Amino acid sequence: MAPRAKSSSSLPQPAGAQVLRVLPAVDECLKAAESDEALRGFSRDYLKLAVQRALDGLREMIAAGRHDAPERREQMAAEVIRRVRKLVAGDEPGLKPVVNATGIVLHTNLGRALLAEPAIEAVERAARSAVNLEYDLATGGRGDRDTLIEEELCALTGCEAGTVVNNNAAAVLLALSTLADGREVVVSRGELVEIGGSFRIPEVMARAGARIREVGTTNRVHPRDYVDAIGPETALLLKVHPSNYRVVGFTAEVGLAELAEIGRAHNLPVMEDLGSGALIDMAAYGLPREPIVRDRIAAGAAIVTFSGDKLLGGPQAGIVVGRHALIERLNANPLKRALRCDKLTIAALEATLRLYVRSRDLATELPTLRLLRRALAEIEIAAARAREILAERLGPEFQIEIVDSTSQIGSGALPAEELKTRALRITHRDLAEDAIAALFRGARPPVLGRVRDGAFMLDLRTVEDPAALAVEFPSRTNR
Ligand SMILES: *Cc1c(COP(=O)(O)O)cnc(C)c1O
């Protein structure tokens, strides 16, 4: 059951105060609930929560002076049981499917990448059965969960070794804590970014025990800035993909290859936090270009970190690839044990990586890529159908137009790039856009769109099957 809403603190009306005093006690109602036929079999704790909620509701009803509020104790007890039955019947899990009509393909608040079918099947198999997560079937000895995905990572990125943790923030933390604890990390001032959702590079570095040696200015950094900053305390040269923002205009950056050159001359590893970390060339699929992990390894990065659920299109995970000796040190850090992934994540990630290696049609099989590449003509057809469905459900008071719009990729990937799309622009004579958004949020299942330019919009890029919009709206009389 969802957390209890705070009960209203408003004082009851004097007339209501009288009535409130005869409200039945929790224990009395609980006893009645436990002997109610429709509530048989539920735990006492669960019923107690429901009784408390029902009483809260009743109290509010009385305090508001509602004419239909019961006045006598027996009526109240019956009303509480009626409410408990309703609560129990309508009690849905807190985490539930929603319709993502924001057009944002990798929406962090909506769980980012949708998994490919083989990954979903792999998760289900692993959930149902014991698996060889850390068991070497050849020797009968202890195995390592990372070896299940390492071969694919090496094949896909050209790295010597790889490891995986719960998310990219954890990957960055693990790498910095292993390679730079108590020492200095040289990083460009323009790359000390906040990624959103409270991931700030300087704070993660501090948590990892690394001291930041900022070089350059916000917009410009030169090779000599790095060279001048290197000293006996330096452990690492760091590069960070700015992900969700761009510095444009009078700018200068030191490229990875050049930085790797400086690193080699001073015997220092270069680490890059790539964020999205595409495994393939997005431009080859007609999408905006994004740095490819393989190219960064080839350019000389000793360690590259990236997310599993951004452009890669897999489960939430943080992947670290790079030199064998460094990955070994990461794996020996006790933090690795705290940050390691469970069997479900490993199952989904392995299946997703196998698709990259083996699929004959990745652009169809990987939902992230499929949604990013959806043709405008196809989105248009979905929009027309969605419009019909919603017009029928919403009635003539709503106007629904199909308009040109743009979708974002999301999760800080390619922020400056937007993809052309078609959206439904929904307006109402009396309802403001926020009220329309609330109406859609209240639907079953909830539909999430965007409020843009003073209107509520549903972007069909992220709705592959318009039938998903055949939702139930809360009955208007209840609003
Ligand atoms: C997204 C991102 C992160 C955080 O990754 P999560 O997988 O969300 O933990 C870290 N660094 C960069 C550059 C990012 O883009």
mmCIF file of all heavy atoms in Angstrom, residues 74-123:
data_model
loop_
_atom_site.group_PDB
_atom_site.id
_atom_site.type_symbol
_atom_site.label_atom_id
_atom_site.label_comp_id
_atom_site.label_asym_id
_atom_site.label_seq_id
_atom_site.Cartn_x
_atom_site.Cartn_y
_atom_site.Cartn_z
ATOM 1 N N GLU A 74 -22.219 3.190 14.926
ATOM 2 C CA GLU A 74 -22.376 1.947 14.141
ATOM 3 C C GLU A 74 -22.249 2.251 12.645
ATOM 4 O O GLU A 74 -21.653 1.482 11.891
ATOM 5 C CB GLU A 74 -23.744 1.264 14.358
ATOM 6 C CG GLU A 74 -24.251 1.174 15.770
ATOM 7 C CD GLU A 74 -24.901 2.460 16.224
ATOM 8 O OE1 GLU A 74 -26.063 2.703 15.852
ATOM 9 O OE2 GLU A 74 -24.247 3.249 16.939
ATOM 10 N N GLN A 75 -22.813 3.400 12.264
ATOM 11 C CA GLN A 75 -22.712 3.791 10.847
ATOM 12 C C GLN A 75 -21.252 3.985 10.471
ATOM 13 O O GLN A 75 -20.801 3.623 9.395
ATOM 14 C CB GLN A 75 -23.423 5.136 10.616
ATOM 15 C CG GLN A 75 -24.911 5.086 10.617
ATOM 16 C CD GLN A 75 -25.450 6.509 10.458
ATOM 17 O OE1 GLN A 75 -24.902 7.445 11.028
ATOM 18 N NE2 GLN A 75 -26.518 6.650 9.707
ATOM 19 N N MET A 76 -20.535 4.604 11.433
ATOM 20 C CA MET A 76 -19.119 4.876 11.171
ATOM 21 C C MET A 76 -18.331 3.582 11.015
ATOM 22 O O MET A 76 -17.513 3.449 10.104
ATOM 23 C CB MET A 76 -18.519 5.694 12.305
ATOM 24 C CG MET A 76 -18.986 7.129 12.288
ATOM 25 S SD MET A 76 -18.197 7.993 13.629
ATOM 26 C CE MET A 76 -19.028 9.554 13.509
ATOM 27 N N ALA A 77 -18.572 2.635 11.921
ATOM 28 C CA ALA A 77 -17.861 1.355 11.852
ATOM 29 C C ALA A 77 -18.126 0.688 10.501
ATOM 30 O O ALA A 77 -17.203 0.171 9.851
ATOM 31 C CB ALA A 77 -18.295 0.455 13.003
ATOM 32 N N ALA A 78 -19.375 0.735 10.054
ATOM 33 C CA ALA A 78 -19.720 0.117 8.768
ATOM 34 C C ALA A 78 -19.021 0.859 7.631
ATOM 35 O O ALA A 78 -18.531 0.240 6.678
ATOM 36 C CB ALA A 78 -21.238 0.139 8.571
ATOM 37 N N GLU A 79 -18.950 2.178 7.755
ATOM 38 C CA GLU A 79 -18.305 2.985 6.719
ATOM 39 C C GLU A 79 -16.799 2.663 6.648
ATOM 40 O O GLU A 79 -16.207 2.595 5.567
ATOM 41 C CB GLU A 79 -18.544 4.474 7.005
ATOM 42 C CG GLU A 79 -17.813 5.447 6.095
ATOM 43 C CD GLU A 79 -18.235 5.380 4.624
ATOM 44 O OE1 GLU A 79 -19.270 4.754 4.317
ATOM 45 O OE2 GLU A 79 -17.484 5.931 3.780
ATOM 46 N N VAL A 80 -16.186 2.464 7.823
ATOM 47 C CA VAL A 80 -14.762 2.129 7.855
ATOM 48 C C VAL A 80 -14.528 0.807 7.120
ATOM 49 O O VAL A 80 -13.634 0.699 6.266
ATOM 50 C CB VAL A 80 -14.228 2.050 9.313
ATOM 51 C CG1 VAL A 80 -12.831 1.421 9.335
ATOM 52 C CG2 VAL A 80 -14.185 3.430 9.928
ATOM 53 N N ILE A 81 -15.346 -0.195 7.407
ATOM 54 C CA ILE A 81 -15.174 -1.491 6.744
ATOM 55 C C ILE A 81 -15.391 -1.358 5.238
ATOM 56 O O ILE A 81 -14.639 -1.906 4.423
ATOM 57 C CB ILE A 81 -16.140 -2.542 7.344
ATOM 58 C CG1 ILE A 81 -15.774 -2.809 8.802
ATOM 59 C CG2 ILE A 81 -16.124 -3.838 6.541
ATOM 60 C CD1 ILE A 81 -14.345 -3.322 9.003
ATOM 61 N N ARG A 82 -16.379 -0.569 4.854
ATOM 62 C CA ARG A 82 -16.632 -0.364 3.426
ATOM 63 C C ARG A 82 -15.390 0.251 2.762
ATOM 64 O O ARG A 82 -14.955 -0.160 1.698
ATOM 65 C CB ARG A 82 -17.835 0.576 3.252
ATOM 66 C CG ARG A 82 -18.440 0.580 1.859
ATOM 67 C CD ARG A 82 -19.506 1.665 1.714
ATOM 68 N NE ARG A 82 -18.958 3.005 1.839
ATOM 69 C CZ ARG A 82 -18.287 3.650 0.872
ATOM 70 N NH1 ARG A 82 -18.100 3.064 -0.288
ATOM 71 N NH2 ARG A 82 -17.805 4.855 1.073
ATOM 72 N N ARG A 83 -14.817 1.222 3.450
ATOM 73 C CA ARG A 83 -13.621 1.884 2.914
ATOM 74 C C ARG A 83 -12.417 0.941 2.878
ATOM 75 O O ARG A 83 -11.612 0.999 1.945
ATOM 76 C CB ARG A 83 -13.271 3.111 3.763
ATOM 77 C CG ARG A 83 -14.160 4.296 3.432
ATOM 78 C CD ARG A 83 -13.954 5.455 4.373
ATOM 79 N NE ARG A 83 -14.772 6.562 3.936
ATOM 80 C CZ ARG A 83 -14.299 7.696 3.407
ATOM 81 N NH1 ARG A 83 -13.008 7.881 3.311
ATOM 82 N NH2 ARG A 83 -15.114 8.636 2.996
ATOM 83 N N VAL A 84 -12.274 0.119 3.901
ATOM 84 C CA VAL A 84 -11.151 -0.829 3.928
ATOM 85 C C VAL A 84 -11.269 -1.802 2.759
ATOM 86 O O VAL A 84 -10.303 -2.073 2.051
ATOM 87 C CB VAL A 84 -11.095 -1.589 5.275
ATOM 88 C CG1 VAL A 84 -10.113 -2.762 5.190
ATOM 89 C CG2 VAL A 84 -10.672 -0.657 6.400
ATOM 90 N N ARG A 85 -12.472 -2.303 2.518
ATOM 91 C CA ARG A 85 -12.682 -3.220 1.381
ATOM 92 C C ARG A 85 -12.272 -2.552 0.071
ATOM 93 O O ARG A 85 -11.638 -3.169 -0.776
ATOM 94 C CB ARG A 85 -14.167 -3.590 1.283
ATOM 95 C CG ARG A 85 -14.613 -4.611 2.285
ATOM 96 C CD ARG A 85 -16.008 -5.062 1.901
ATOM 97 N NE ARG A 85 -16.653 -5.787 2.970
ATOM 98 C CZ ARG A 85 -17.961 -5.756 3.204
ATOM 99 N NH1 ARG A 85 -18.758 -5.014 2.456
ATOM 100 N NH2 ARG A 85 -18.483 -6.457 4.181
ATOM 101 N N LYS A 86 -12.662 -1.287 -0.065
ATOM 102 C CA LYS A 86 -12.360 -0.564 -1.299
ATOM 103 C C LYS A 86 -10.850 -0.352 -1.456
ATOM 104 O O LYS A 86 -10.295 -0.522 -2.539
ATOM 105 C CB LYS A 86 -13.095 0.778 -1.279
ATOM 106 C CG LYS A 86 -13.337 1.335 -2.651
ATOM 107 C CD LYS A 86 -14.274 2.523 -2.609
ATOM 108 C CE LYS A 86 -13.950 3.434 -3.785
ATOM 109 N NZ LYS A 86 -14.399 4.799 -3.592
ATOM 110 N N LEU A 87 -10.217 0.014 -0.352
ATOM 111 C CA LEU A 87 -8.766 0.217 -0.378
ATOM 112 C C LEU A 87 -8.032 -1.063 -0.776
ATOM 113 O O LEU A 87 -7.128 -1.053 -1.617
ATOM 114 C CB LEU A 87 -8.259 0.648 1.007
ATOM 115 C CG LEU A 87 -8.388 2.125 1.375
ATOM 116 C CD1 LEU A 87 -8.052 2.330 2.850
ATOM 117 C CD2 LEU A 87 -7.441 2.961 0.512
ATOM 118 N N VAL A 88 -8.451 -2.158 -0.171
ATOM 119 C CA VAL A 88 -7.791 -3.440 -0.423
ATOM 120 C C VAL A 88 -8.016 -3.872 -1.873
ATOM 121 O O VAL A 88 -7.095 -4.319 -2.562
ATOM 122 C CB VAL A 88 -8.289 -4.507 0.580
ATOM 123 C CG1 VAL A 88 -7.829 -5.893 0.164
ATOM 124 C CG2 VAL A 88 -7.781 -4.174 1.981
ATOM 125 N N ALA A 89 -9.241 -3.680 -2.358
ATOM 126 C CA ALA A 89 -9.547 -4.090 -3.730
ATOM 127 C C ALA A 89 -8.773 -3.251 -4.735
ATOM 128 O O ALA A 89 -8.349 -3.743 -5.777
ATOM 129 C CB ALA A 89 -11.050 -3.972 -3.979
ATOM 130 N N GLY A 90 -8.589 -1.975 -4.417
ATOM 131 C CA GLY A 90 -7.935 -1.077 -5.377
ATOM 132 C C GLY A 90 -6.456 -0.919 -5.106
ATOM 133 O O GLY A 90 -5.818 -0.035 -5.670
ATOM 134 N N ASP A 91 -5.917 -1.760 -4.237
ATOM 135 C CA ASP A 91 -4.517 -1.602 -3.847
ATOM 136 C C ASP A 91 -3.596 -2.150 -4.924
ATOM 137 O O ASP A 91 -3.442 -3.348 -5.088
ATOM 138 C CB ASP A 91 -4.279 -2.340 -2.523
ATOM 139 C CG ASP A 91 -2.877 -2.076 -1.994
ATOM 140 O OD1 ASP A 91 -2.216 -1.169 -2.523
ATOM 141 O OD2 ASP A 91 -2.470 -2.772 -1.055
ATOM 142 N N GLU A 92 -2.988 -1.230 -5.699
ATOM 143 C CA GLU A 92 -2.071 -1.642 -6.766
ATOM 144 C C GLU A 92 -0.641 -1.546 -6.251
ATOM 145 O O GLU A 92 -0.375 -0.786 -5.335
ATOM 146 C CB GLU A 92 -2.194 -0.679 -7.941
ATOM 147 C CG GLU A 92 -3.481 -0.801 -8.706
ATOM 148 C CD GLU A 92 -3.533 0.213 -9.833
ATOM 149 O OE1 GLU A 92 -2.679 1.114 -9.868
ATOM 150 O OE2 GLU A 92 -4.431 0.074 -10.669
ATOM 151 N N PRO A 93 0.274 -2.285 -6.880
ATOM 152 C CA PRO A 93 1.685 -2.115 -6.504
ATOM 153 C C PRO A 93 2.113 -0.667 -6.735
ATOM 154 O O PRO A 93 1.565 0.009 -7.614
ATOM 155 C CB PRO A 93 2.428 -3.033 -7.471
ATOM 156 C CG PRO A 93 1.413 -3.939 -8.049
ATOM 157 C CD PRO A 93 0.096 -3.251 -7.960
ATOM 158 N N GLY A 94 3.056 -0.206 -5.960
ATOM 159 C CA GLY A 94 3.538 1.163 -6.111
ATOM 160 C C GLY A 94 4.223 1.381 -7.449
ATOM 161 O O GLY A 94 4.014 2.388 -8.118
ATOM 162 N N LEU A 95 5.038 0.411 -7.859
ATOM 163 C CA LEU A 95 5.739 0.518 -9.140
ATOM 164 C C LEU A 95 4.845 -0.068 -10.213
ATOM 165 O O LEU A 95 4.481 -1.243 -10.142
ATOM 166 C CB LEU A 95 7.054 -0.265 -9.071
ATOM 167 C CG LEU A 95 7.976 -0.130 -10.284
ATOM 168 C CD1 LEU A 95 8.586 1.259 -10.356
ATOM 169 C CD2 LEU A 95 9.072 -1.178 -10.249
ATOM 170 N N LYS A 96 4.462 0.752 -11.192
ATOM 171 C CA LYS A 96 3.527 0.230 -12.194
ATOM 172 C C LYS A 96 3.856 0.755 -13.572
ATOM 173 O O LYS A 96 4.499 1.794 -13.705
ATOM 174 C CB LYS A 96 2.107 0.578 -11.801
ATOM 175 C CG LYS A 96 1.866 2.051 -11.559
ATOM 176 C CD LYS A 96 0.473 2.268 -11.015
ATOM 177 C CE LYS A 96 0.439 3.300 -9.919
ATOM 178 N NZ LYS A 96 -0.560 3.057 -8.928
ATOM 179 N N PRO A 97 3.378 0.062 -14.590
ATOM 180 C CA PRO A 97 3.622 0.538 -15.949
ATOM 181 C C PRO A 97 2.920 1.878 -16.186
ATOM 182 O O PRO A 97 1.803 2.084 -15.700
ATOM 183 C CB PRO A 97 2.986 -0.543 -16.826
ATOM 184 C CG PRO A 97 2.908 -1.754 -15.965
ATOM 185 C CD PRO A 97 2.695 -1.245 -14.575
ATOM 186 N N VAL A 98 3.600 2.761 -16.907
ATOM 187 C CA VAL A 98 2.989 4.012 -17.334
ATOM 188 C C VAL A 98 3.215 4.137 -18.835
ATOM 189 O O VAL A 98 4.062 3.443 -19.396
ATOM 190 C CB VAL A 98 3.611 5.237 -16.609
ATOM 191 C CG1 VAL A 98 3.441 5.139 -15.100
ATOM 192 C CG2 VAL A 98 5.087 5.402 -16.960
ATOM 193 N N VAL A 99 2.448 5.003 -19.478
ATOM 194 C CA VAL A 99 2.665 5.237 -20.901
ATOM 195 C C VAL A 99 3.616 6.420 -21.036
ATOM 196 O O VAL A 99 3.294 7.531 -20.611
ATOM 197 C CB VAL A 99 1.331 5.523 -21.620
ATOM 198 C CG1 VAL A 99 1.588 5.790 -23.102
ATOM 199 C CG2 VAL A 99 0.360 4.357 -21.437
ATOM 200 N N ASN A 100 4.784 6.173 -21.597
ATOM 201 C CA ASN A 100 5.758 7.246 -21.788
ATOM 202 C C ASN A 100 5.454 7.951 -23.097
ATOM 203 O O ASN A 100 5.853 7.502 -24.165
ATOM 204 C CB ASN A 100 7.176 6.665 -21.803
ATOM 205 C CG ASN A 100 8.231 7.720 -22.143
ATOM 206 O OD1 ASN A 100 7.931 8.912 -22.199
ATOM 207 N ND2 ASN A 100 9.453 7.282 -22.374
ATOM 208 N N ALA A 101 4.709 9.062 -23.008
ATOM 209 C CA ALA A 101 4.420 9.849 -24.206
ATOM 210 C C ALA A 101 5.168 11.179 -24.129
ATOM 211 O O ALA A 101 4.723 12.190 -24.655
ATOM 212 C CB ALA A 101 2.915 10.055 -24.360
ATOM 213 N N THR A 102 6.307 11.158 -23.441
ATOM 214 C CA THR A 102 7.138 12.362 -23.352
ATOM 215 C C THR A 102 8.013 12.506 -24.589
ATOM 216 O O THR A 102 8.554 13.576 -24.842
ATOM 217 C CB THR A 102 8.090 12.299 -22.143
ATOM 218 O OG1 THR A 102 8.986 11.194 -22.319
ATOM 219 C CG2 THR A 102 7.327 12.099 -20.827
ATOM 220 N N GLY A 103 8.163 11.416 -25.328
ATOM 221 C CA GLY A 103 9.062 11.443 -26.480
ATOM 222 C C GLY A 103 10.513 11.281 -26.079
ATOM 223 O O GLY A 103 11.387 11.134 -26.928
ATOM 224 N N ILE A 104 10.786 11.321 -24.781
ATOM 225 C CA ILE A 104 12.162 11.155 -24.295
ATOM 226 C C ILE A 104 12.449 9.660 -24.211
ATOM 227 O O ILE A 104 11.864 8.950 -23.404
ATOM 228 C CB ILE A 104 12.349 11.840 -22.925
ATOM 229 C CG1 ILE A 104 12.029 13.330 -23.056
ATOM 230 C CG2 ILE A 104 13.766 11.612 -22.401
ATOM 231 C CD1 ILE A 104 11.964 14.081 -21.737
ATOM 232 N N VAL A 105 13.328 9.197 -25.081
ATOM 233 C CA VAL A 105 13.542 7.753 -25.219
ATOM 234 C C VAL A 105 14.205 7.180 -23.969
ATOM 235 O O VAL A 105 13.846 6.090 -23.519
ATOM 236 C CB VAL A 105 14.372 7.466 -26.495
ATOM 237 C CG1 VAL A 105 14.709 5.993 -26.609
ATOM 238 C CG2 VAL A 105 13.590 7.939 -27.728
ATOM 239 N N LEU A 106 15.173 7.915 -23.411
ATOM 240 C CA LEU A 106 15.870 7.426 -22.211
ATOM 241 C C LEU A 106 15.515 8.343 -21.047
ATOM 242 O O LEU A 106 16.274 9.238 -20.693
ATOM 243 C CB LEU A 106 17.383 7.424 -22.451
ATOM 244 C CG LEU A 106 17.839 6.524 -23.591
ATOM 245 C CD1 LEU A 106 19.288 6.801 -23.948
ATOM 246 C CD2 LEU A 106 17.645 5.052 -23.229
ATOM 247 N N HIS A 107 14.338 8.162 -20.497
ATOM 248 C CA HIS A 107 13.831 9.056 -19.456
ATOM 249 C C HIS A 107 14.225 8.475 -18.099
ATOM 250 O O HIS A 107 13.711 7.437 -17.687
ATOM 251 C CB HIS A 107 12.313 9.156 -19.580
ATOM 252 C CG HIS A 107 11.731 10.326 -18.855
ATOM 253 N ND1 HIS A 107 11.962 10.557 -17.516
ATOM 254 C CD2 HIS A 107 10.929 11.334 -19.289
ATOM 255 C CE1 HIS A 107 11.321 11.663 -17.163
ATOM 256 N NE2 HIS A 107 10.694 12.146 -18.213
ATOM 257 N N THR A 108 15.137 9.153 -17.411
ATOM 258 C CA THR A 108 15.658 8.613 -16.157
ATOM 259 C C THR A 108 14.539 8.362 -15.143
ATOM 260 O O THR A 108 14.516 7.325 -14.476
ATOM 261 C CB THR A 108 16.716 9.568 -15.564
ATOM 262 O OG1 THR A 108 17.790 9.655 -16.496
ATOM 263 C CG2 THR A 108 17.260 9.046 -14.243
ATOM 264 N N ASN A 109 13.581 9.285 -15.058
ATOM 265 C CA ASN A 109 12.512 9.127 -14.071
ATOM 266 C C ASN A 109 11.540 8.006 -14.435
ATOM 267 O O ASN A 109 10.744 7.571 -13.616
ATOM 268 C CB ASN A 109 11.724 10.432 -13.900
ATOM 269 C CG ASN A 109 12.623 11.592 -13.508
ATOM 270 O OD1 ASN A 109 12.388 12.716 -13.911
ATOM 271 N ND2 ASN A 109 13.673 11.312 -12.754
ATOM 272 N N LEU A 110 11.586 7.579 -15.696
ATOM 273 C CA LEU A 110 10.684 6.500 -16.126
ATOM 274 C C LEU A 110 11.454 5.202 -16.367
ATOM 275 O O LEU A 110 10.968 4.298 -17.037
ATOM 276 C CB LEU A 110 9.917 6.916 -17.392
ATOM 277 C CG LEU A 110 9.123 8.234 -17.276
ATOM 278 C CD1 LEU A 110 8.335 8.498 -18.560
ATOM 279 C CD2 LEU A 110 8.172 8.207 -16.082
ATOM 280 N N GLY A 111 12.676 5.133 -15.820
ATOM 281 C CA GLY A 111 13.404 3.866 -15.878
ATOM 282 C C GLY A 111 14.325 3.672 -17.065
ATOM 283 O O GLY A 111 14.800 2.561 -17.305
ATOM 284 N N ARG A 112 14.553 4.742 -17.817
ATOM 285 C CA ARG A 112 15.478 4.693 -18.978
ATOM 286 C C ARG A 112 15.154 3.581 -19.985
ATOM 287 O O ARG A 112 14.010 3.409 -20.338
ATOM 288 C CB ARG A 112 16.929 4.606 -18.496
ATOM 289 C CG ARG A 112 17.398 5.899 -17.849
ATOM 290 C CD ARG A 112 18.916 5.924 -17.730
ATOM 291 N NE ARG A 112 19.348 7.083 -16.968
ATOM 292 C CZ ARG A 112 20.510 7.153 -16.329
ATOM 293 N NH1 ARG A 112 21.354 6.148 -16.386
ATOM 294 N NH2 ARG A 112 20.832 8.235 -15.669
ATOM 295 N N ALA A 113 16.184 2.848 -20.433
ATOM 296 C CA ALA A 113 16.015 1.968 -21.596
ATOM 297 C C ALA A 113 14.989 0.850 -21.357
ATOM 298 O O ALA A 113 14.933 0.257 -20.279
ATOM 299 C CB ALA A 113 17.365 1.359 -21.972
ATOM 300 N N LEU A 114 14.190 0.598 -22.393
ATOM 301 C CA LEU A 114 13.344 -0.603 -22.385
ATOM 302 C C LEU A 114 14.239 -1.752 -22.835
ATOM 303 O O LEU A 114 15.027 -1.598 -23.758
ATOM 304 C CB LEU A 114 12.195 -0.442 -23.394
ATOM 305 C CG LEU A 114 11.294 0.779 -23.205
ATOM 306 C CD1 LEU A 114 10.215 0.793 -24.292
ATOM 307 C CD2 LEU A 114 10.655 0.764 -21.830
ATOM 308 N N LEU A 115 14.095 -2.877 -22.190
ATOM 309 C CA LEU A 115 14.973 -3.995 -22.537
ATOM 310 C C LEU A 115 14.511 -4.708 -23.805
ATOM 311 O O LEU A 115 13.314 -4.762 -24.117
ATOM 312 C CB LEU A 115 15.016 -5.007 -21.397
ATOM 313 C CG LEU A 115 15.698 -4.547 -20.099
ATOM 314 C CD1 LEU A 115 15.708 -5.675 -19.085
ATOM 315 C CD2 LEU A 115 17.120 -4.064 -20.365
ATOM 316 N N ALA A 116 15.481 -5.256 -24.515
ATOM 317 C CA ALA A 116 15.179 -6.075 -25.686
ATOM 318 C C ALA A 116 14.566 -7.397 -25.229
ATOM 319 O O ALA A 116 14.819 -7.844 -24.109
ATOM 320 C CB ALA A 116 16.468 -6.328 -26.470
ATOM 321 N N GLU A 117 13.794 -8.009 -26.082
ATOM 322 C CA GLU A 117 13.116 -9.282 -25.736
ATOM 323 C C GLU A 117 14.086 -10.338 -25.174
ATOM 324 O O GLU A 117 13.799 -10.925 -24.138
ATOM 325 C CB GLU A 117 12.393 -9.849 -26.955
ATOM 326 C CG GLU A 117 10.891 -9.672 -27.045
ATOM 327 C CD GLU A 117 10.122 -9.371 -25.766
ATOM 328 O OE1 GLU A 117 10.013 -10.289 -24.912
ATOM 329 O OE2 GLU A 117 9.625 -8.251 -25.609
ATOM 330 N N PRO A 118 15.229 -10.580 -25.846
ATOM 331 C CA PRO A 118 16.138 -11.602 -25.287
ATOM 332 C C PRO A 118 16.621 -11.249 -23.880
ATOM 333 O O PRO A 118 16.856 -12.147 -23.057
ATOM 334 C CB PRO A 118 17.312 -11.607 -26.278
ATOM 335 C CG PRO A 118 16.773 -11.013 -27.539
ATOM 336 C CD PRO A 118 15.724 -10.038 -27.130
ATOM 337 N N ALA A 119 16.753 -9.964 -23.590
ATOM 338 C CA ALA A 119 17.193 -9.555 -22.247
ATOM 339 C C ALA A 119 16.074 -9.816 -21.232
ATOM 340 O O ALA A 119 16.334 -10.259 -20.102
ATOM 341 C CB ALA A 119 17.588 -8.080 -22.250
ATOM 342 N N ILE A 120 14.839 -9.563 -21.637
ATOM 343 C CA ILE A 120 13.700 -9.812 -20.746
ATOM 344 C C ILE A 120 13.612 -11.309 -20.444
ATOM 345 O O ILE A 120 13.425 -11.721 -19.299
ATOM 346 C CB ILE A 120 12.391 -9.310 -21.407
ATOM 347 C CG1 ILE A 120 12.437 -7.787 -21.545
ATOM 348 C CG2 ILE A 120 11.166 -9.757 -20.603
ATOM 349 C CD1 ILE A 120 11.366 -7.200 -22.442
ATOM 350 N N GLU A 121 13.810 -12.112 -21.487
ATOM 351 C CA GLU A 121 13.763 -13.574 -21.289
ATOM 352 C C GLU A 121 14.898 -14.036 -20.380
ATOM 353 O O GLU A 121 14.700 -14.911 -19.535
ATOM 354 C CB GLU A 121 13.844 -14.291 -22.644
ATOM 355 C CG GLU A 121 12.543 -14.181 -23.434
ATOM 356 C CD GLU A 121 12.733 -14.427 -24.933
ATOM 357 O OE1 GLU A 121 13.790 -14.979 -25.322
ATOM 358 O OE2 GLU A 121 11.826 -14.036 -25.699
ATOM 359 N N ALA A 122 16.070 -13.442 -20.551
ATOM 360 C CA ALA A 122 17.219 -13.830 -19.725
ATOM 361 C C ALA A 122 16.958 -13.484 -18.251
ATOM 362 O O ALA A 122 17.299 -14.261 -17.351
ATOM 363 C CB ALA A 122 18.486 -13.130 -20.222
ATOM 364 N N VAL A 123 16.332 -12.332 -18.006
ATOM 365 C CA VAL A 123 16.016 -11.922 -16.630
ATOM 366 C C VAL A 123 15.022 -12.916 -16.034
ATOM 367 O O VAL A 123 15.175 -13.368 -14.895
ATOM 368 C CB VAL A 123 15.419 -10.488 -16.602
ATOM 369 C CG1 VAL A 123 14.835 -10.185 -15.232
ATOM 370 C CG2 VAL A 123 16.487 -9.465 -16.963
#
